[in-house]
Amino acid sequence: MPDKTINGVSISVDDDGFMTDHSQWNKELAAALAEEEGISLSDGHWKVIDYILADYAEKGTVPGMRRINKVGGIPTKELYALFPGGPIKKAAKVSGLPKPTSCV
Amino acid sequence: MSEEPIKKVSIIVSRGSLEGIYPGLIMANGARMEGIEANLFFTFFGLYGVLTKYMNSIKIATVGNPAMRVPDAKGFPLPTWMGSMPGMSAFATHMMNKEMEKIDIPPVGEFIEMISDAGCNIYACKATVDMFHLTDDDFCPQMDRVLTVGEFYELSAGSQIIFT
């Protein structure tokens, strides 16, 4: 398992850069992870991250696009605007969660 | 990985059955979720996937499908003559829709909206539109444009073309 140092802290990540130990995650780390993806976190981003984290805590998987739309109340267009080039994957990475497994 | 990642795909949907339309939609949506540029091209009976009046009543083809088993893929083979019994297609579709709902695969209309919102372009084939006597009013608002095959190839430049 490769480790990576970010903000002077060492975190465990998988080969695709997804954190493998969520207990190492915090808000400052999220901002740094987002920056690596070329994203600077706004309230809109946090709304997505908060929902994904809450849903992950409940269901144990990263929610798919439709669930984020329907249950999370965040429209598809907004998701793509906030996390350009792969919204769910990027949001999961910034949230310190594993690589999403849903096809939809 | 030394290979170049896929940057752009064009997906052709030519069949009007549920199992003909959904794979194209899932592939197109999945491409956008990976940050891959995507175009969807509907042709022949595949056009039913973007016709407002019909898109939400797409059915599984139970006739001529020797792989069909009940109640699921590991059940008993459905004799092909049974597939032609009245209501069989509607019933199989109902069962399949229930399973798809469970894994958050939306109905066709909603899926097309989601795919369009995701930035995928949606096109209809000019030859089929003429052949089927269709007009722009028959299509869902997410259908961007009617294209000739030549135009389709032009906008597919640099992409992988996937025929489902």
Side-chain angles (χ1 to χ4, degrees):
Chain A
M1 204 75 64
D3 280 347
K4 132 176 182 179
T5 307
I6 191 159
N7 275 1
V9 194
S10 174
I11 56 168
S12 326
V13 293
D14 68 8
D15 293 335
D16 297 314
F18 290 86
M19 286 179 69
T20 49
D21 180 2
H22 189 72
S23 69
Q24 296 176 329
W25 184 87
N26 57 49
K27 293 201 164 191
E28 291 73 46
L29 202 56
L33 288 166
E35 208 167 299
E36 284 191 336
E37 299 292 331
I39 296 163
S40 96
L41 294 182
S42 66
D43 288 350
H45 294 99
W46 279 109
K47 198 174 136 199
V48 178
I49 296 168
D50 288 342
Y51 172 70
I52 291 182
L53 285 173
D55 199 62
Y56 186 83
E58 190 188 321
K59 298 265 176 189
T61 50
V62 175
M65 186 63 76
R66 190 188 187 210
R67 193 168 163 81
I68 300 181
N69 291 167
K70 291 258 144 183
V71 187
I74 301 152
T76 307
K77 274 187 185 171
E78 204 176 309
L79 274 169
Y80 277 90
L82 290 167
F83 298 93
I88 311 246
K89 237 167 123 174
K90 289 196 175 172
K93 191 176 265 183
V94 173
S95 306
L97 295 176
K99 192 172 175 176
T101 53
S102 167
C103 286
V104 194
Chain B
M1 267 201 308
S2 59
E3 280 114 28
E4 277 276 294
I6 295 174
K7 290 200 184 89
K8 183 175 170 184
V9 292
S10 288
I11 298 164
I12 302 168
V13 177
S14 69
R15 293 178 300 136
S17 54
L18 188 138
E19 74 278 18
I21 289 174
Y22 267 106
L25 302 185
I26 293 172
M27 301 281 289
N29 180 65
R32 292 300 303 130
M33 281 170 63
E34 289 295 316
I36 298 168
E37 189 184 337
N39 292 302
L40 256 175
F41 187 65
F42 290 88
T43 182
F44 262 86
F45 294 103
L47 273 188
Y48 280 90
V50 279
L51 294 175
T52 311
K53 198 173 164 193
Y54 305 103
M55 62 199 303
N56 285 317
S57 46
I58 301 293
K59 300 267 184 299
I60 291 185
T62 48
V63 172
N65 182 359
M68 189 99 185
R69 284 171 179 265
V70 282
D72 57 36
K74 286 187 189 171
F76 296 99
L78 182 78
T80 51
W81 62 267
M82 273 184 137
S84 66
M85 283 167 69
M88 193 56 94
S89 184
F91 178 68
T93 303
H94 174 72
M95 299 293 283
M96 190 73 85
N97 280 337
K98 250 178 28 189
E99 293 305 317
M100 292 201 296
E101 183 68 38
K102 277 188 209 162
I103 56 168
D104 259 325
I105 298 179
V108 174
E110 189 194 324
F111 210 172
I112 289 282
E113 206 183 319
M114 198 166 114
I115 289 167
S116 173
D117 284 350
C120 174
N121 303 306
I122 297 173
Y123 302 109
C125 161
K126 171 86 165 59
T128 318
V129 167
D130 293 346
M131 190 165 58
F132 288 179
H133 309 294
L134 296 165
T135 67
D136 279 348
D137 295 339
D138 296 313
F139 289 98
C140 62
Q142 290 80 19
M143 198 281 286
D144 292 289
R145 204 151 65 83
V146 176
L147 293 183
T148 65
V149 170
E151 288 172 312
F152 168 71
Y153 280 126
E154 268 174 37
L155 64 87
S156 295
S159 79
Q160 308 280 330
I161 296 180
I162 301 167
F163 197 102
T164 63

